[in-house]
Structure formats: structure tokens, C-alpha cells
Amino acid sequence: MGNKQTIFTAQQLDAYQVSDHVYSILFYRYRDLAPQLVPLDYTNNPDVKLPYELIGSMPELKDNPFRQRIAEVFSEDGEGNMTLNDFLDMFSVLSEMAPRDLKAYYAFKIYDFNNDDFICKSDLEKTLNKLTRNELTEEEVRMVCEKVLDEADLDNDGRLSLDDFQHMILRAPEFLSTFHIRI
Amino acid sequence: MPKPGLLSAALLFGVAAIVLVLFPLPASTDSGDGTRGPVALAHSAAEERAAPGVAAEDEEPGGQHQQQHQHGGGYKVVQWEWSYVQTPYIIAIWLLVASVAKILFHFSQRFTTVVPESCMLILLGLVLGGIVLIANKKQLYQLEPALFFLFLLPTIVGDAGYFMPARLFFDNLGAILTYAVVGTLWNSFCTGFSLYAAKVLNVIDEKVQADLMDFLLFGALISAVDPVAVLAVFEEVHVNDTLFIIVFGESLVNDAVTVVLYKVYISFVEVGPKNVQTVDYFKGVASFLIVSIGGTLVGLVFAVILGFITRFTKKVRIIEPLFVFLLVYLAYLTAELFSLSAILSMTFCGIGANKYVEANISQKSRTTVKYTMKTLASIAETIIFIFLGISAVDKSKWAWDTGLVSCTLVFIFIFRAVGVVGQTWVLNRFRLVPLDKIDQVVMSYGGLRGAVAFALVVLLDGEQVKAKDYFVATTIVVVFFTVMFQGLTIKPLVKWLKVPRSTSRKPTINEEIHERAFDHILTAVEDIAGLQGYHHWRDKWEQFDKNYLSKLLLRKSVYRKSELWEAYQKINIRDAISVIDQGGNVLTSARLSLPSMASRASFPEFTNVTNYLRENGSGVCLDLQVIDNVPGAKVEEDTETHHVLAGNLYKPRRRYQSHYSRHFMPLGEKERQDREVFQRNMKYRMESSKSTRHKRHKKERSIKKRHGSDPKEESTEKPRRNVSWHDKEPVLVPVDSEDDKAEHSEKDEDEGITFVARKVETPKPRPKSVPAAVEASSSPLASPLSRPPSVDTPLPWKGGVGSPPPCVSVEATKIIPVDLQQAWNQSISSLESISSPPAPPSADAVHPRISALSRIPGAPRPASYTPSSSSSFFSTSNTQLVQGSFLFPEKIPKEEEEDESSHELQPLMSTLKPPPPATTSAPPPPPPGSAPGQGRRKHPRVFLRSLVSAPPPGNTEPWSRGPTQL
């Protein structure tokens, strides 16, 4: 790990609550995704973005319905082009140390397809169609969506706010605690 | 607790009296009767009975025989055929006794909450055993290993395996396997060696003739945690799911270890320790692998067979449950046949098949499977514990040695605890959710031994294991100690340690969705990181399942549907049922509409049953099966309805009675009529009510929709047998052929009426006309969706202006007594303080009730109104901020840990953002940029950027949204 000091300054490392070890894993992974774009030297914050196409075209992800959405939510420009910081953020949000509310917030963001800070019906329908791979009829999707809203929409405005979402998801304390990965 | 004690004592004697009457009979005719049937329930002691005793008791029946014989050799009007019915009779009587005992224990609620059932059953067994012993001078009944392993254990394991929460099980598979394999090995070796050491040190009496191998053998059989005991005790304790699945999973999976160790040691004991070669140890290891993996494979093979068979049972629904029982049991027997781990086999057969079978078989078969399995398991468990008690009484079977008993007790307890702590320490390095100390305590304490150990020790060969009698006695003591003492004390312990309990939360469609979505998200992130972690493999498995297994094992009509849809339907039905269950007593605030399949788009003013119920304010029973006598003002209407219905309903229905078929279950005649009557009844009432306009079309719609929902069946276009009520004429429905009928009935079974709990379009405050008492009990207080009120109340600031919080419940299953209102109020104020940003003063004016609530002493509202509270969702643990404001209670410990981790940064952060004055009563709204700053305080390093950068530009910070934006 001797060479990581040459890649990052101490402050840069401090900005992420991931251990050096994990950090270097992630960095090299990031670099592996696009060796031609990402320089090895990060001391002066080069402005490098990993285009979404690179992530979206990974063979492991081709069946994953949320790949684009995840890239969008975690990327700063909202279009799935990830800087190294975005990349690291993604893992820090899903690390064990991240507080539950932050996770809930990002989960909420992932559902919120149209970025209006509410999960509205169209968001739900999108989610459902992604989850079921369009196996349900429109009718069925709508019924399920209504049920979802019915359960979670506490203010009866026909859409889920972040409060609604958190409220609902915190009912099961173990739910978000499993929402993390280990690196 | 004098009363329950007296009660149960009296009842015990009642049962005992019955048994006393019955027991001598089997015994008396038993002698000389060689055929005992496959189930050797009556112990062979009967054969050894002293002849004089038999003669004395034989007199009565014998006398009858003689009299009849003397009457002349002709036809006997009454014959005494005891030997003919003996075996099943005894079994039936035993089952009866066990079941009655179970009923008796549950007479007293207070008693059963303190004393676990298993304890009581063992005590009952002791009493019964004592009575039998006194009556017969000889123990008649004992827990026979063959009976136990072939019949009693499979019913329990089958039930456990089939209903095992598969996801939970596999999520914790690593831990379960570790505890089961490493833990059991550790326990067994340590106990064995330590006992041997105790023997060498003369702590154990000279009389106990045992060497190292014997003690190792004993250690092997005594160290395994017992599934029956764990189930019996833990089911009543309700610890959280993870804890339960780890202990219970361990108790199931360690069977392989126990079986192998037991057999290996037995063979070692047989050949003598000196003749054991090194190869044999390796054989032992190989044998372990074969037994465990082989057992698992057998189970999985049977699971595939079971899934495949149930794919084709469409025409013979009636035998679906039988297939389930048979194949699961065959999995057990087959594994036993090859001396593989039968428990593993059965467990994995159940786990593996459950998903496919449940999807394939009809709703009724599902219910049947569930009830039958639960009934069998429950009765088997009862019998096991009673027999354990009875067996203990038989003094001829055991020999006591205080040293051995106390040493064993101490050793198994210590080694269990040490093993658990050590393994958890290792496991926590890998687990996603680490097990904390409290969990470890419960796991150590929950290491109950039970009937498996007893059956194994009874199976020992007294010739080779000289100390068998001592081992039997010790095992009995250990089992009794763990089941009774630990079983009795684990509940207070769990309460005292504040172990997170399992919440009886019902699944919601939200959770189903999020669970799946989270899986995908985590898999995606793992894949992006290039890791091949747990989620990665689970996703791979799911792909495989979807692409191959489901296609093979699910019938086509089911396969098309997503699991999510299945879950939705289940939840929907459950909601409907819970609404119905309530309907008889209290108004529900649930929104329920009939039927779910109807297209709501075409009928926007869809009939809303609950609206109707609300407006009428009567306790209407929405039971599908019966017409309930609705008390009160509805009675008259009911009688009217009844007259109307009686006129045109019943006669034509009779036709169906002739169509009896053994091969499918027609909807019971009575049931069908009742259901129709009920439907008509309901519709009639709706008709009479002004609030419903479209019910006239409901039936047609539902029919249409039902057809529509399954296009394949739509093409059949058979006339419905469910006749709409508004067909004034009695309709004779042509029943074409058996096939058609089967199809109809299948559809009836599976679809029937479906309710959909449905959202009303507008927030609906409770009508003011409802009596105050009802209002108090059911309206806003009842609305938290069956969750504890203190945690989960409708967020009050969101309610319509000037109105109490709207009813938002899907299923109002909790009615909160008036005396809990205080708690509810406090929770409102605390909830309000967490998520409501500094409310403008006008908000208080708008919500007079809420502002009043917030003045409740003990909920220091002003502190919570500091600007910091606006970000308390995201920065919770800063103690300066938190005082007086709300904290998620379950979060505190975790947060404290985190605080430690970022401890050195605290001073810096607090200078960065000084704590606001705690006395501010009406603070200004937070500055726009303050929230991220607060978030930074908590986790300065990680989340600083993510919080600032995450919301797309132009959006307001989500946590600063307040009532003004709603």
C-alpha cells in the first residue's frame, strides 16, 4: 500500500470514512473500469468522469433493473457519469457505518425517478415494472401501487414524501440495517 | 398464583383418573397378545408383567367373556374385541389425553404466560407416569426411540422445515452452519474430555464404569441442541427473528453432526478403543460429509419431485396436501434408510419445496397443509414431553450419580457459553449484522437439550456401554433442567436483558417491494465494485431459479405471475380478513372495496364498503361464511333481507347436492349457499343505502374481471354458478360436465371474492355523527396501522387543516383504550418535534389540538424547536442537540458507538456549528444551508459531500421540508 500516499493527499483520504484498504480496492476498481480515462495520480483532483455507458454495459449488471438509476442517483451530474468521489460516496452510503437515515434517504432517491422529492404513482409504477420485468398488466401494477400508497401514504396526498417513506421503512428496524455491503 | 394452580391440579387429577381407568385395560389384555402393530406405543414391559397381577385385573373383561360363552355357543350380540382395536385405540387415547392436557393448560392465561407449556407437559408426564407406576407396579409406557424417530420427530421437523422462513435461514446460513458444526463438535469433545477428566479425578463415582470413549459418546449425544425443545421454548419467548433462526437452525442442522459422532463412537466402543486406527478418524470425517451433504441432497431431490408433482394436480386438488405430507415424510425416511441425516433431509425438502408447492396448490390445500402440519407437530410435541415425563419415573432404567449429573450440567452450560462467545467473535467479522452480547447470552442460555438426546441414550446398548443407566439418568436430568429451568427462566431473562423481540408485524406490500428493490440495488453496487459477495450469489441463484427451476416446477398459469403479485394478493386477502374479523365489533377505518378485480377505471365511484359501514355506524359482520346476526338496529333489516332471500335463493341451490365427487372438493353446499346469501345480503344493504350507486354492476364486473384476469380461462366462457342476486328468477345453471365443474370449482376456490383495501381519493376525516365513544376508540387512535401507537402515529402536522389526523389505516387492528391516549399524545408531540421543522407560530394556531398535546409535561417542546431539530433526521446523536428532541430509540446504542469512532472530531465540529440556545421557543426557520451543516456534524467525513451534493440542484433540501410545503 505504499503507493497510495502518492495517489491521494491525507485530506482526501480523510474525507471518506472508509479504511485505507477498502479505499484502495475501490480506487483500483474504479480505475479498472476505465484505465484510459482515470489517472493514477489523484493528488490534484483531476476532473475525471466515468461515463454511464461503462457501468451500464458491465455484463454482471445487464439483468439488474436498477443499474441506471443507481448510477444516476449517486452521480453528481444526475446522469450516471461518476467521478471518483461519486463512486466512493456510493460505497460510503452503503457501508455499515452509514446512519440509517442516510440510507433511507438514498433508497428514497432511487425510487424517486422524476427527482421531485416525492415518490408518486409514476415512480412506483416504474419501480414495479422494473422489479417484475413488465410481467404484470397495467391494471395489476396500478392496483399494487394503490396498495403501496394506501399503506404508506400517511398524509393522503397520493404520493410518498420522504417522511412517509422513512416512517414506513423504519417500522422494521432490521430492514435498513441489512441495506449495506461489505467490502 | 393459587387459582391456576388449584385449577390445573384439579384438572390434572381429572385426566389422571381417566388415564387410570384406561391404562389397566390395555395392559390386561396385552399379555399373550403378540401383535402390537407397527407402533410400539405400549412398552414391552407389559409382556414381562407378573401373571397374578394380570389375572386380578383381567377378571372383569374375562368374566364377560365367560358369561357370553356360557350363554351358549351361538351368535354373540356384543363382543369384546379389544385385541383387535388395541393398538389404534391406545394411540387414540394417548392423543386424546395429550390434547386435553393442552386445552387445560390454556385455561388460565396468566399461568401459561409464565410457565412454558413444555414444562407443564413434562410435569403432567411425571404425574401420569407415577400413577401408572403405582397402578401397575411397572412402567408400561416409555418414549420408544423407534416411535420417536420414525413418527414424532418427523412431524415436528416437517412442520419446521416446510414453514421455515427460507430467506432468513439462508441469510444466516453461515452462522447456523458454524454453530451447528463447529459448536456441536466443540461441545461434544469438551464435554466428553472434561467428564473423563472428572472421572479420573474421582469426582464421578467409581460405580460409573466408563472410559474415554464412553464419555465422548455421551458428550456427543448430550451436546446437541434439540429442535423440539428449542421450538417449544422459543416459540413462547418471541425473540427476534434472527436470534430465533440461528438457534433453531443450529438445532436442526446439528443433527448431522450428532448422528455421525454418535455412530462413530458407537462403533469405536464396539471394536474397543485400542483397535481404533487412524484411518477410522478420517472415515469419521468422510462419514460426516456424506451424512450431511447426502441428507441435504436427498431432501432437495424430494423437493424437486414434490414441486414437479404438484404442478400437475390441477384436476385432483383434493390430494394435494397428501403429496406434500408424503413426499416430505419420504424424504425423511429415505435419508434414514441410507442412514443419512434425516432431519437435514426433511428440512431442506421443506425449505426447497415450499415456494413452488405454495404457488402450485390451491388456497384450500395451502390451508389444509398448514393446519394439518401444525396440528401434527403440536400433538407430537405434546406427546414427546409427556412421554419424557413418564419415562423419567421408571426407576429401573436409570442409576443416579450426583457427581456425573452435576458435572455434566456444569460442563454443558460452560462449554455452550464459551463456544457461543468464541464463534460469535469470529463470525462477527464476517456478518453483515453482527450479533451483540445480549444475543450471545440468549444463544448460550437457549441451548436446550431434549428428546433427541434422550432417545439416543435409550438406544445405547447396555452390554457395551456399561454406564448406560447412569447416562440415562444424567440425560433425563439435563433435559429436565434445560427444558424446565432454563425454559422457565429464559422469558424473564429475555425481558430483563431487553432482547429485541420479534414484532408481530404483518408483512406489507411495501416491504415486499423494498426487499426486492434493495436486493437489486445491493447486487448492483456489489457488481460495480467487482465483488462477489453474498448479494451477488443470491442474485445468481435467483436468475437460475427464474430461468430454469421455476419453469420446471411451477405450473404455467402461476409461472407467468410475478411473486410480487402473489405477495400482493396474499396481503390483500389478509387485510380483508382482518377487516372482517373486526367487523363484528368495531367500526373499522379501513377502506375496503369489493371486489379487487373490478376495473376501477371504468367505475370511478366505486362502491366503498367502509364508507357505507362508517356512515351507518353499525357493527356489520363481513364474514364470508356465515350470515351473522348483526345486533342492534340492523336486525330488522336483516330479517327483511332474510325474507327476501329466502324467497328466491335456497330452492334452486339444492341441485348441487347431487354432484358429489370424491376427486375434488366442491364448495361445501352450505358454505356456498351461505356465501351467496351473504353476498346478496351485503348488496341488498348497500342498495338500501344511499351511498352506493354502482353495486348493481358489481357482480357482473367481478365476473368480467375474473375472466379478464386470466385470459386463458376466459375463453371457456362457462356460465357462472355464482348467480347474481339481481337475477330475479331462480336460475338453473347448466352443469355441463365433470371437467367444467372442476374448473369452476377450482376457480371458486382460488379466487372467490377478493377484497382490495383501497385508498379513498380524498382524506376522509371521521364523520362527526359517530358517537363519541366510538370515535375515541376507533378514529385517530385506531388508525396507526396496527403498530404500536408510540412509534407509529399519523404525522399530525400533515392532517387537513383544523381536523384531527385523518384515518389512514388499512387495517385497524388496534383499538387503543382511552387510558392510552396520553401515551399517544406524547408520541405525537415527540414525532412532531422530530420531523416538523420549526413550525411557524401559525401552525400552532391551526392545530389547536396538537399544540395542546405538545404542552404535555415531559415532552419539552421548546427544546425540540431549536433549528437543529430540522436536521435531526440526519444528525441524531449529538447530545447537545438531542436533549429534549426526539431520538429513534433503537438507534441510540449504535449511534453511541459511532460517536466514539468520530470522537476526536467533535470539538472541531461543535465550533463549526454552535449548539443553538435550548430555550428558544419560537425559533426562526433554519437557514437554507444549515441542514447539511448539521448532517456534517454527525459524520463529518463521510457524508459531508453526499449530503451536499446528493439532491439535484434546484431542489430544496428534503429534510427542511415543512408543513408550509405540504
Side-chain angles (χ1 to χ4, degrees):
Chain A
M1 289 190 192
N3 57 353
K4 77 178 178 299
Q5 263 92 13
T6 63
I7 305 175
F8 299 99
T9 63
Q11 285 88 355
Q12 280 175 315
L13 276 179
D14 260 2
Y16 302 97
Q17 201 173 8
V18 288
S19 69
D20 295 353
H21 171 63
V22 170
Y23 189 80
S24 59
I25 291 180
L26 289 178
F27 173 71
Y28 287 114
R29 174 68 188 176
Y30 182 71
R31 194 171 173 279
D32 280 349
L33 289 174
Q36 71 282 13
L37 290 177
V38 182
L40 264 175
D41 181 16
Y42 248 75
T43 38
N44 41 14
N45 285 321
D47 183 28
V48 176
K49 280 185 179 177
L50 208 61
Y52 167 70
E53 290 72 38
L54 267 177
I55 293 173
S57 60
M58 284 164 66
E60 299 95 323
L61 282 174
K62 72 177 191 313
D63 285 329
N64 201 305
F66 285 95
R67 59 183 185 279
Q68 184 171 8
R69 189 60 201 157
I70 290 171
E72 282 171 11
V73 164
F74 284 100
S75 63
E76 206 165 356
D77 60 3
E79 288 169 6
N81 305 319
M82 298 188 103
T83 64
L84 178 62
N85 282 341
D86 296 330
F87 195 73
L88 295 174
D89 270 350
M90 182 162 71
F91 293 101
S92 66
V93 165
L94 290 174
S95 77
E96 284 161 87
M97 279 84 80
R100 225 166 41 178
D101 296 311
L102 189 82
K103 289 179 183 172
Y105 172 68
Y106 273 99
F108 180 81
K109 293 291 296 173
I110 289 172
Y111 288 125
D112 181 18
F113 284 93
N114 53 10
N115 295 326
D116 65 351
D117 279 337
F118 285 99
I119 300 179
C120 49
K121 255 192 182 159
S122 64
D123 293 331
L124 278 177
E125 282 167 12
K126 246 185 194 162
T127 310
L128 270 176
N129 281 329
K130 278 180 184 296
L131 280 177
T132 58
R133 300 188 162 82
N134 296 320
E135 279 166 6
L136 298 184
T137 64
E138 272 181 45
E139 178 80 8
E140 288 162 348
V141 168
R142 206 182 58 246
M143 280 161 60
V144 176
C145 287
E146 276 175 22
K147 182 88 182 165
V148 170
L149 285 177
D150 202 34
E151 279 176 0
D153 182 21
L154 295 183
D155 50 7
N156 272 327
D157 60 355
R159 53 188 190 173
L160 301 184
S161 63
L162 181 60
D163 290 330
D164 289 333
F165 184 75
Q166 286 193 326
H167 190 218
M168 186 266 311
I169 214 160
L170 291 181
R171 279 177 61 197
E174 74 273 19
F175 212 65
L176 277 174
S177 62
T178 54
F179 190 49
H180 65 235
I181 58 169
R182 233 173 219 274
I183 295 167
Chain B
M1 213 176 302
K3 193 188 152 200
L6 276 178
L7 181 71
S8 49
L11 293 170
L12 276 186
F13 280 113
V15 177
I18 300 172
V19 174
L20 198 58
V21 172
L22 284 166
F23 275 26
L25 285 180
S28 59
T29 40
D30 202 18
S31 53
D33 174 39
T35 60
R36 205 171 307 241
V39 186
L41 197 64
H43 187 50
S44 57
E47 264 139 350
E48 304 149 18
R49 282 171 53 84
V54 178
E57 285 172 27
D58 248 338
E59 256 175 16
E60 203 188 337
Q64 284 175 4
H65 276 285
Q66 280 165 12
Q67 278 175 3
Q68 281 163 355
H69 284 301
Q70 284 164 2
H71 194 271
Y75 178 73
K76 285 172 276 184
V77 179
V78 178
Q79 296 185 38
W80 181 254
E81 295 280 9
W82 171 250
S83 59
Y84 182 58
V85 296
Q86 180 197 12
T87 308
Y89 204 88
I90 295 177
I91 295 172
I93 292 296
W94 266 114
L95 294 180
L96 181 70
V97 169
S99 321
V100 170
K102 232 176 157 88
I103 297 177
L104 297 184
F105 294 144
H106 288 278
F107 262 131
S108 165
Q109 195 68 41
R110 206 157 46 121
F111 193 61
T112 46
T113 49
V114 178
V115 183
E117 205 182 86
S118 45
C119 290
M120 289 312 301
L121 290 172
I122 287 185
L123 286 179
L124 172 71
L126 283 173
V127 171
L128 288 184
I131 292 170
V132 174
L133 196 67
I134 293 166
N136 289 331
K137 312 283 191 299
K138 189 81 184 175
Q139 192 55 273
L140 283 180
Y141 304 98
Q142 207 198 356
L143 191 59
E144 288 288 317
L147 167 74
F148 174 74
F149 282 119
L150 288 183
F151 298 100
L152 295 178
L153 188 58
T155 49
I156 294 174
V157 174
D159 171 60
Y162 189 74
F163 294 106
M164 174 85 76
R167 188 191 160 98
L168 205 58
F169 181 79
F170 287 109
D171 278 357
N172 294 294
L173 190 62
I176 291 172
L177 284 179
T178 312
Y179 290 119
V181 178
V182 182
T184 310
L185 285 176
W186 156 268
N187 277 349
S188 119
F189 284 128
C190 288
T191 313
F193 282 115
S194 305
L195 284 176
Y196 183 64
K199 166 84 175 152
V200 170
L201 295 173
N202 276 331
V203 181
I204 295 170
D205 199 278
E206 290 287 325
K207 288 177 295 183
V208 185
Q209 296 177 337
D211 55 14
L212 179 59
M213 276 303 160
D214 295 316
F215 280 121
L216 283 177
L217 172 61
F218 180 63
L221 64 88
I222 202 70
S223 60
V225 177
D226 182 71
V228 183
V230 166
L231 257 190
V233 169
F234 272 67
E235 266 183 354
E236 298 184 28
V237 178
H238 303 297
V239 293
N240 58 63
D241 293 345
T242 313
L243 203 50
F244 174 76
I245 203 77
I246 287 179
V247 177
F248 181 57
E250 176 200 342
S251 72
L252 283 178
V253 178
N254 69 19
D255 174 62
V257 183
T258 315
V259 166
V260 172
L261 281 182
Y262 185 77
K263 283 180 182 158
V264 167
Y265 288 136
I266 289 259
S267 65
F268 285 2
V269 168
E270 275 171 6
V271 300
K274 293 172 198 104
N275 302 329
V276 178
Q277 295 163 345
T278 328
V279 189
D280 293 331
Y281 293 105
F282 288 105
K283 275 186 188 163
V285 175
S287 156
F288 167 70
L289 292 178
I290 290 172
V291 165
S292 53
I293 297 175
T296 309
L297 285 182
V298 168
L300 292 179
V301 166
F302 273 93
V304 171
I305 297 175
L306 177 54
F308 194 66
I309 285 183
T310 50
R311 206 183 143 175
F312 303 105
T313 50
K314 188 175 178 182
K315 298 281 167 61
V316 279
R317 292 282 196 199
I318 198 78
I319 55 168
E320 276 172 345
L322 188 65
F323 278 125
V324 178
F325 300 131
L326 277 184
L327 281 163
V328 172
Y329 190 44
L330 272 179
Y332 185 90
L333 291 182
T334 311
E336 198 90 305
L337 179 68
F338 296 109
S339 64
L340 303 171
S341 167
I343 294 185
L344 269 185
S345 167
M346 201 171 196
T347 308
F348 276 94
C349 181
I351 294 183
N354 180 292
K355 180 187 160 192
Y356 309 105
V357 171
E358 292 282 292
N360 279 338
I361 64 180
S362 71
Q363 175 70 39
K364 282 195 171 163
S365 302
R366 257 176 261 169
T367 314
T368 311
V369 169
K370 184 174 169 188
Y371 271 86
T372 316
M373 279 204 175
K374 296 279 175 206
T375 310
L376 287 178
S378 158
I379 203 69
E381 186 187 288
T382 311
I383 288 184
I384 286 173
F385 283 118
I386 289 188
F387 269 47
L388 269 181
I390 291 182
S391 311
V393 179
D394 191 1
K395 258 196 301 194
S396 66
K397 287 279 183 292
W398 47 265
W400 179 269
D401 178 64
T402 315
L404 179 64
V405 168
S406 45
C407 280
T408 312
L409 275 180
V410 171
F411 287 148
I412 62 166
F413 196 80
I414 289 177
F415 290 128
R416 168 84 187 166
V418 172
V420 164
V421 171
Q423 290 170 75
T424 313
W425 183 76
V426 177
L427 278 173
N428 274 351
R429 296 162 157 253
F430 302 100
R431 278 179 66 82
L432 283 179
V433 186
L435 297 161
D436 55 19
K437 287 202 179 63
I438 291 176
D439 291 338
Q440 296 174 34
V441 171
V442 175
M443 281 166 61
S444 316
Y445 204 73
L448 307 173
R449 272 61 164 188
V452 173
F454 179 77
L456 285 179
V457 83
V458 169
L459 269 183
L460 286 179
D461 185 355
E463 297 287 306
Q464 269 148 4
V465 186
K466 300 281 190 309
K468 180 189 172 186
D469 289 352
Y470 291 98
F471 288 157
V472 171
T474 312
T475 309
I476 288 176
V477 172
V478 167
V479 170
F480 280 21
F481 179 82
T482 53
V483 172
M484 298 186 72
F485 180 74
Q486 295 187 9
L488 204 64
T489 48
I490 196 167
K491 220 173 195 175
L493 182 79
V494 161
K495 229 176 250 169
W496 182 64
L497 289 174
K498 299 195 178 60
V499 178
R501 302 293 194 90
S502 75
T503 43
S504 57
R505 207 163 23 82
K506 291 172 180 169
T508 62
I509 190 72
N510 270 294
E511 283 173 22
E512 295 284 338
I513 289 175
H514 300 320
E515 193 178 291
R516 285 171 173 77
F518 282 13
D519 282 352
H520 284 303
I521 292 168
L522 290 173
T523 313
V525 174
E526 266 190 4
D527 284 341
I528 290 174
L531 302 164
Q532 306 217 322
Y534 175 67
H535 301 285
H536 174 80
W537 290 111
R538 182 164 67 200
D539 193 58
K540 279 264 182 300
W541 162 255
E542 271 164 16
Q543 296 288 336
F544 173 75
D545 176 53
K546 195 163 181 60
N547 292 335
Y548 304 103
L549 272 183
S550 294
K551 276 182 187 156
L552 178 69
L553 300 181
L554 290 183
R555 63 178 60 163
K556 287 205 180 62
S557 58
V558 186
Y559 174 66
R560 199 184 66 83
K561 289 294 171 197
S562 159
E563 279 172 53
L564 208 55
W565 178 248
E566 293 286 315
Y568 166 73
Q569 284 187 320
K570 263 186 204 157
I571 289 168
N572 222 355
I573 289 170
R574 187 212 65 212
D575 283 350
I577 288 173
S578 75
V579 165
I580 287 164
D581 285 347
Q582 293 237 323
N585 304 320
V586 193
L587 270 183
T588 65
S589 56
R591 285 143 307 176
L592 177 78
S593 50
L594 288 166
S596 71
M597 298 300 171
S599 154
R600 255 175 252 128
S602 48
F603 297 95
E605 318 90 322
F606 196 76
T607 307
N608 192 320
V609 176
T610 317
N611 282 351
Y612 166 77
L613 293 180
R614 271 191 210 146
E615 282 158 28
N616 281 270
S618 76
V620 179
C621 179
L622 268 176
D623 199 314
L624 285 172
Q625 308 295 330
V626 292
I627 310 176
D628 213 34
N629 285 344
V630 181
K634 289 285 149 193
V635 173
E636 267 187 346
E637 194 187 349
D638 261 9
T639 39
E640 271 178 35
T641 316
H642 179 73
H643 287 312
V644 173
L645 293 172
N648 57 7
L649 263 185
Y650 293 114
K651 277 172 200 162
R653 305 272 125 204
R654 291 254 166 80
R655 276 179 65 85
Y656 296 111
Q657 280 174 350
S658 58
H659 296 284
Y660 170 78
S661 165
R662 180 175 298 176
H663 304 297
F664 67 94
M665 183 126 53
L667 212 51
E669 205 46 52
K670 178 103 166 53
E671 200 179 319
R672 184 190 299 276
Q673 282 188 2
D674 283 346
R675 183 180 290 188
E676 292 238 0
V677 170
F678 161 72
Q679 286 167 0
R680 289 160 200 236
N681 193 358
M682 282 309 300
K683 281 174 201 140
Y684 175 79
R685 286 196 227 153
M686 286 176 197
E687 169 83 340
S688 68
S689 134
K690 304 270 189 311
S691 68
T692 60
R693 272 165 291 171
H694 286 270
K695 76 256 148 222
R696 193 175 285 269
H697 306 290
K698 186 185 301 175
K699 195 71 206 182
E700 291 144 348
R701 265 184 284 145
S702 87
I703 289 171
K704 217 184 296 171
K705 205 48 214 176
R706 253 189 273 173
H707 279 290
S709 70
D710 199 337
K712 206 182 82 193
E713 294 187 356
E714 185 181 20
S715 57
T716 61
E717 283 299 337
K718 292 293 183 309
R720 287 271 147 186
R721 279 195 285 168
N722 277 355
V723 187
S724 276
W725 69 278
H726 48 81
D727 296 328
K728 295 292 188 217
E729 300 300 320
V731 181
L732 300 183
V733 181
V735 178
D736 309 346
S737 70
E738 199 67 5
D739 275 359
D740 288 333
K741 209 177 150 195
E743 202 155 0
H744 276 295
S745 84
E746 181 191 329
K747 243 181 262 175
D748 285 343
E749 279 173 6
D750 282 333
E751 299 183 9
I753 305 183
T754 319
F755 292 83
V756 61
R758 173 172 177 260
K759 192 174 140 32
V760 276
E761 256 52 70
T762 53
K764 203 168 289 269
R766 283 197 58 84
K768 300 291 180 227
S769 62
V770 179
V774 180
E775 165 119 37
S777 65
S778 69
S779 176
L781 297 182
S783 52
L785 318 150
S786 74
R787 303 165 232 175
S790 57
V791 186
D792 215 53
T793 42
L795 305 177
W797 62 90
K798 292 177 168 184
V801 170
S803 71
C807 300
V808 289
S809 163
V810 176
E811 55 211 319
T813 56
K814 283 234 161 88
I815 304 306
I816 290 131
V818 180
D819 55 354
L820 283 182
Q821 284 193 23
Q822 172 87 357
W824 186 75
N825 291 340
Q826 284 179 349
S827 71
I828 279 197
S829 58
S830 57
L831 264 175
E832 185 183 18
S833 62
I834 41 161
S835 35
S836 142
S842 64
D844 274 2
V846 173
H847 296 281
R849 176 169 177 196
I850 288 162
S851 68
L853 296 177
S854 67
R855 278 182 227 115
I856 286 168
R861 171 73 167 275
S864 74
Y865 259 179
T866 56
S868 66
S869 69
S870 64
S871 65
S872 60
F873 256 119
F874 288 93
S875 70
T876 35
S877 75
N878 192 316
T879 41
Q880 296 143 314
L881 289 179
V882 161
Q883 43 163 228
S885 72
F886 179 85
L887 261 184
F888 293 107
E890 65 271 31
K891 191 184 287 184
I892 296 170
K894 190 178 143 203
E895 299 289 348
E896 278 168 359
E897 286 170 19
E898 286 165 3
D899 261 2
E900 285 169 17
S901 67
S902 59
H903 182 252
E904 69 275 17
L905 280 152
Q906 282 297 337
L908 177 70
M909 298 337 279
S910 49
T911 54
L912 205 152
K913 190 80 185 176
T919 50
T920 326
S921 57
S930 75
Q934 302 286 338
R936 183 177 312 175
R937 172 188 314 243
K938 173 65 189 75
H939 286 282
R941 292 184 297 173
V942 206
F943 312 111
L944 173 138
R945 260 205 63 258
S946 34
L947 283 177
V948 176
S949 66
N955 280 342
T956 52
E957 306 290 346
W959 43 81
S960 66
R961 263 188 302 106
T964 47
Q965 295 184 356
L966 282 169

